[in-house]
Amino acid sequence: QVQLVESGGGLVQAGGSLRLSCAASGNIFSINDMGWYRQAPGDNRELVAVITSGGNTNYADSVKGRFTISRDNAKNTVYLQMNSLKPEDTAVYYCNLKSFIPTNYDYWGQGTQVTVSS
């Protein structure tokens, strides 16, 4: 089993910054993807950013140039630095770990609220 604990959400004005953290614990294999998804009320959950254990990254078009994902493999922690926040970034942000060993499996955090006021 893997547990994901997120922190760093909150309320910020448009143009401001927040940094989300997600610490993974449990039976973690070294090969995995970690990422962030978000879900606004009435919307589907969508990918924000993902980073592989080798450091390759992928971003949603809506956050490119504003958000940066990084990870510390020694600490099994992934970060999301969010700059130039917009009201449309308001959502619950979920941490995700995709494990490939021994089988493909998705683990999710409990979610952290990010609210951007205009």
Side-chain angles (χ1 to χ4, degrees), residues 19-97:
R19 189 191 195 210
L20 305 183
S21 300
C22 172
S25 61
N27 192 19
I28 302 168
F29 291 91
S30 59
I31 306 300
N32 57 68
D33 292 350
M34 295 189 76
W36 294 92
Y37 289 70
R38 67 187 181 187
Q39 188 169 18
D43 290 346
N44 294 324
R45 191 173 296 188
E46 63 175 4
L47 172 71
V48 176
V50 64
I51 184 167
T52 68
S53 50
N56 294 318
T57 59
N58 189 38
Y59 295 91
D61 288 343
S62 59
V63 307
K64 284 181 180 177
R66 300 188 297 122
F67 291 10
T68 302
I69 190 169
S70 60
R71 64 187 288 168
D72 184 333
N73 289 333
K75 295 181 179 179
N76 291 317
T77 299
V78 64
Y79 306 96
L80 186 68
Q81 178 65 44
M82 304 185 293
N83 298 329
S84 303
L85 282 161
K86 304 175 181 179
E88 50 263 45
D89 294 317
T90 295
V92 178
Y93 283 69
Y94 295 91
C95 178
N96 170 265
L97 186 150

